[in-house]
Amino acid sequence: MKKYTDQGKKDTRSGFGAGLTELGRKNNKVVALCADLIGSLKMDTFMAENPDRFFQVGIAEANMMGIAAGLTIGGYIPFTGTFANFSTGRVYDQIRQSIAYSHKNVKICASHAGLTLGEDGATHQILEDIGLMKMLPGMTVINTCDFNQTKAATLAIAEHHGPVYLRFGRPKVPNFTPENQSFEIGKALVLQEGTDVTIAATGHLVWEALVAAENLNNQGISAEVLNIHTIKPLDEETLLQSVAKTGCIVSAEEHNYLGGLGESISRTLSRHNPTPQEFIATQDTFGESGTPAQLMEKYGLNNKAIEEAVLQVLKRKA
Amino acid sequence: MPEKHPLQDLVTQTRRDIVRMVHKVNSGHPGGSLGCTEFFIALYHEILEIKTNFDMDGIGEDLFFLSNGHISPVYYSTLARRGYFPVDELNTFRLINSRLQGHPTTHEGLPGVRIASGSLGQGMSVAIGAALAKRLNKDPHLVYSLHGDGELQEGQNWEAIMFAAAKKVDNLIATVDLNGQQIDGPTEEVMSLGNVRAKFEAFGWDVQEIKEGNNLEAILEGMRKAKQHTGKGKPVCVLLETVMGNGVDFMMHTHAWHGKAPNDEQLEIALAQNPETIGDY
């Protein structure tokens, strides 16, 4: 097995901030907008270094999305920053009409996604955003797994023409992918090769999947781990190659099982290679206050839950 | 560039286009379109500094954004007759496989359109964004936008109005079509807007008024004056008082024709009141 080492826990939102800072220095077409959450989104450095290219819009997300759409007219590449809840559900129609349908080159960058936002509770813990965004024609949907990958993705989406939803989070999570890596939109990464089961994870559950795979290996079960950082477009080729070998799959994400990565995977498999699948995801519920670790435990989103799901899906294998 | 026609001839011809377009497909929004015809003709033929070849970024020219996208008939007729796309294409309004969708869109690649609109209340934010881009590009040209009065009931407008004043977006002229009507009835009854001028002024805008919003000379004078007020630290608002359905007597002064097409007989009456000038499409 490959060995992955946590280089020290870091928040993915800081990876976004680091990427945005670098973009500010090397791409003068990149502009950024924030709705009164500069500190939370780690946009401080970009703002300080590029005051002309930074727009504080106040607590007015709908206006922010419209202004971002307008800024593309004239050749700019706007990055909007607010919490995932206010980046999607609150402004769905603005994104739909002024950005997606209008083909505007806006990067919607969303922090504090999912339960692990923690103590603020369900009002802020959106678990439906991947579904909302992936349903919009032409929208690219990315959910990165750690600091380094979030930084790499932030740099990569500036080079991609078209609307992008980039999802990351608040808590510090293991940082285990290489520094200064390249990021290929739509290309899943095989982190661990295995033969008995595929674990397809996105976001910080990729680390949980790696931990689960190691524990399973100790029990004699060989798990293949995929890092599906891009949910749309989904890397169907890598997915199908993996299940052709393993014959069963567990999807893992910090999102409702309705509308998330797991659903995209099952749609692909049902068309090309029907495969037993278990879903590590929230079960059509809202969240609640708690620490990230408590919430991941209670809602079944950690490596233990992944292990149990693997044992379940193995029983269903033909 | 199409040959130059007297503005009034263009107005009359555009009115014919509007009623013919909505009649053909028995759908669309003639009332607001007719009310804004003089404004569109004045804007596109005298006020806007525009390049002949359309490109999306629009650097080095004035930009116009239509926020109340349902008045697409007047927009399409104006764009076509200004040379953005063939006038014959007006035949395809609201038909399957057309670039002339019910509400304007960039999705089908129609020259002249830079943003989709129709879901109301979004255009001012977009216009502000484009104005900020002009500022970053050191492009001295202006951004114009048009909004329905009923549309101001959408809250996003007030976010945008607050932003534009706070951030001194003074290369923007946002015009509000004050026709006092919306689908369900007079704006005053559906949801009174109160004193629109006072509201914009309270938010920090420079407000200009065009009392005769269906009079070409009054529009030209008012818009030229509005232009002189740009670049002074405040966004500029023009309150354009129009009559919904203007130029077709039975459609005037009522909300009844907001989103209703004339029948064959009504079309003939409307066309008789607006004889052909520069040629039907």
Side-chain angles (χ1 to χ4, degrees):
Chain A
M1 284 191 91
K2 277 193 194 164
K3 189 75 187 162
Y4 288 91
T5 309
D6 174 8
Q7 303 153 27
K9 288 191 173 188
K10 277 179 147 179
D11 45 356
T12 48
R13 55 186 166 139
S14 287
F16 165 69
L20 191 65
T21 296
E22 193 170 320
L23 282 174
R25 291 170 188 163
K26 72 177 195 187
N27 187 337
N28 64 12
K29 290 297 178 191
V30 169
V31 297
L33 304 92
C34 188
D36 194 32
L37 287 169
I38 293 166
S40 295
L41 269 286
K42 307 295 181 188
M43 299 171 99
D44 321 59
T45 309
F46 181 95
M47 178 182 69
E49 293 184 357
N50 314 279
D52 293 347
R53 287 190 277 141
F54 183 83
F55 303 99
Q56 166 65 274
V57 298
I59 312 164
E61 295 82 6
N63 189 39
M64 177 167 72
M65 293 303 168
I67 291 176
L71 276 160
T72 66
I73 300 164
Y76 288 91
I77 309 170
F79 282 62
T80 67
T82 182
F83 291 171
N85 189 37
F86 314 135
S87 292
T88 58
R90 189 178 181 92
V91 290
Y92 198 66
D93 189 42
Q94 283 77 18
I95 295 175
R96 181 177 181 274
Q97 174 173 287
S98 293
I99 296 175
Y101 185 46
S102 295
H103 299 295
K104 296 307 180 203
N105 192 22
V106 176
K107 316 303 171 186
I108 301 162
C109 302
S111 183
H112 293 55
L115 292 169
T116 53
L117 167 152
E119 293 80 353
D120 279 347
T123 53
H124 289 49
Q125 292 164 335
I126 194 162
L127 294 161
E128 309 91 45
D129 54 322
I130 290 174
L132 286 169
M133 291 298 108
K134 81 177 187 183
M135 282 198 294
L136 289 170
M139 182 68 73
T140 294
V141 180
I142 297 171
N143 188 20
T144 47
C145 68
D146 69 358
F147 175 97
N148 286 342
Q149 193 177 57
T150 308
K151 182 182 175 190
T154 303
L155 296 171
I157 61 176
E159 304 296 320
H160 167 87
H161 191 87
V164 174
Y165 179 61
L166 176 63
R167 181 195 210 232
F168 42 91
R170 171 172 181 258
K172 291 186 171 160
V173 295
N175 188 30
F176 62 96
T177 64
E179 208 180 342
N180 301 322
Q181 61 191 286
S182 64
F183 184 92
E184 192 178 341
I185 295 170
K187 184 65 190 159
L189 301 165
V190 183
L191 296 187
Q192 204 65 268
E193 291 193 22
T195 51
D196 297 329
V197 61
T198 300
I199 306 173
T202 192
H204 64 106
L205 290 202
V206 172
W207 175 259
E208 299 296 321
L210 288 170
V211 173
E214 198 170 328
N215 294 339
L216 289 162
N217 190 52
N218 294 337
Q219 301 164 48
I221 297 166
S222 167
E224 179 145 304
V225 177
L226 307 183
N227 175 1
I228 306 206
H229 52 68
T230 306
I231 292 152
K232 182 186 175 186
L234 187 65
D235 184 352
E236 299 195 336
E237 193 183 338
T238 300
L239 185 68
L240 290 167
Q241 275 172 4
S242 182
V243 298
K245 191 168 55 169
T246 63
C248 65
I249 186 165
V250 171
S251 54
E253 61 194 311
E254 189 183 6
H255 189 272
N256 195 354
Y257 78 98
L258 295 171
L261 168 67
E263 199 179 74
S264 289
I265 289 173
S266 59
R267 187 201 69 87
T268 299
L269 296 179
S270 69
R271 286 190 66 208
H272 300 283
N273 183 7
T275 306
Q277 179 179 358
E278 292 291 329
F279 296 76
I280 292 297
T282 56
Q283 302 299 307
D284 203 17
T285 179
F286 292 105
E288 65 181 84
S289 292
T291 67
Q294 287 170 338
L295 291 160
M296 284 170 71
E297 171 78 20
K298 177 167 178 176
Y299 290 85
L301 300 179
N302 56 15
N303 60 73
K304 273 195 306 182
I306 294 171
E307 266 184 73
E308 285 162 22
V310 165
L311 299 177
Q312 282 299 316
V313 82
L314 284 170
K315 287 182 200 163
R316 293 169 52 204
K317 219 165 132 172
Chain B
M1 191 64 62
E3 67 177 291
K4 195 96 174 146
H5 296 286
L7 294 188
Q8 189 54 54
D9 285 358
L10 283 158
V11 166
T12 306
Q13 190 63 50
T14 294
R15 283 199 201 116
R16 289 178 67 87
D17 292 350
I18 292 165
V19 291
R20 290 179 66 226
M21 285 162 77
V22 297
H23 168 265
K24 181 179 176 187
V25 289
N26 194 27
S27 74
H29 298 78
S33 293
L34 290 166
C36 289
T37 302
E38 290 88 352
F39 175 76
F40 271 83
I41 296 302
L43 190 70
Y44 269 88
H45 291 267
E46 293 291 336
I47 301 296
L48 293 179
E49 292 174 22
I50 44 182
K51 294 189 290 193
T52 47
N53 290 328
F54 175 76
D55 71 76
M56 184 55 80
D57 283 353
I59 297 170
E61 63 180 325
D62 291 338
L63 301 180
F64 171 73
F65 293 96
L66 177 66
S67 189
N68 48 330
H70 56 274
I71 65 166
S72 55
V74 66
Y75 193 26
Y76 292 151
S77 170
T78 303
L79 289 177
R81 292 189 181 277
R82 190 67 180 80
Y84 281 92
F85 57 85
V87 174
D88 276 354
E89 206 167 334
L90 297 176
N91 266 313
T92 70
F93 176 61
R94 286 187 171 230
L95 294 177
I96 191 106
N97 298 325
S98 171
R99 298 197 291 182
L100 277 59
Q101 292 290 296
H103 294 80
T105 176
T106 60
H107 198 261
E108 315 300 332
L110 187 69
V113 180
R114 290 190 168 86
I115 196 81
S117 61
S119 177
L120 294 172
Q122 300 186 27
M124 197 176 299
S125 303
V126 174
I128 289 168
L132 294 173
K134 288 226 173 287
R135 194 186 273 178
L136 286 171
N137 284 328
K138 300 189 173 23
D139 178 351
H141 287 84
L142 298 175
V143 175
Y144 293 79
S145 60
L146 181 65
H147 313 264
D149 50 1
E151 187 182 12
L152 294 179
Q153 290 157 4
E154 290 281 5
Q156 185 183 343
N157 285 304
W158 301 97
E159 296 181 3
I161 291 165
M162 187 183 294
F163 178 98
K167 308 290 177 176
K168 300 184 169 49
V169 184
D170 62 2
N171 54 345
L172 170 69
I173 300 176
T175 298
V176 179
D177 175 19
L178 283 181
N179 61 23
Q181 307 287 343
Q182 57 192 109
I183 297 181
D184 275 353
T187 306
E188 199 52 36
E189 289 173 20
V190 176
M191 176 55 66
S192 174
L193 302 170
N195 187 332
V196 178
R197 180 183 183 116
K199 285 187 165 75
F200 270 91
E201 284 179 341
F203 276 75
W205 285 54
D206 178 335
V207 181
Q208 302 297 314
E209 290 181 344
I210 299 177
K211 292 284 184 191
E212 293 178 65
N214 294 110
N215 177 322
L216 280 168
E217 285 308 315
I219 295 167
L220 289 172
E221 187 190 331
M223 293 307 290
R224 285 175 181 141
K225 187 173 169 206
K227 194 171 172 176
Q228 286 166 6
H229 282 240
T230 59
K232 300 185 190 304
K234 287 183 175 187
V236 177
C237 168
V238 174
L239 299 180
L240 180 77
E241 295 184 29
T242 72
V243 174
M244 187 179 257
N246 189 57
V248 177
D249 60 6
F250 61 90
M251 291 187 180
M252 291 169 71
H253 303 289
T254 169
H255 65 277
W257 295 89
H258 175 96
K260 192 174 104 176
N263 62 26
D264 294 350
E265 192 184 334
Q266 290 160 337
L267 174 70
E268 288 313 312
I269 297 168
L271 294 179
Q273 292 173 11
N274 295 279
E276 195 171 345
T277 57
I278 60 177
D280 285 341
Y281 62 82

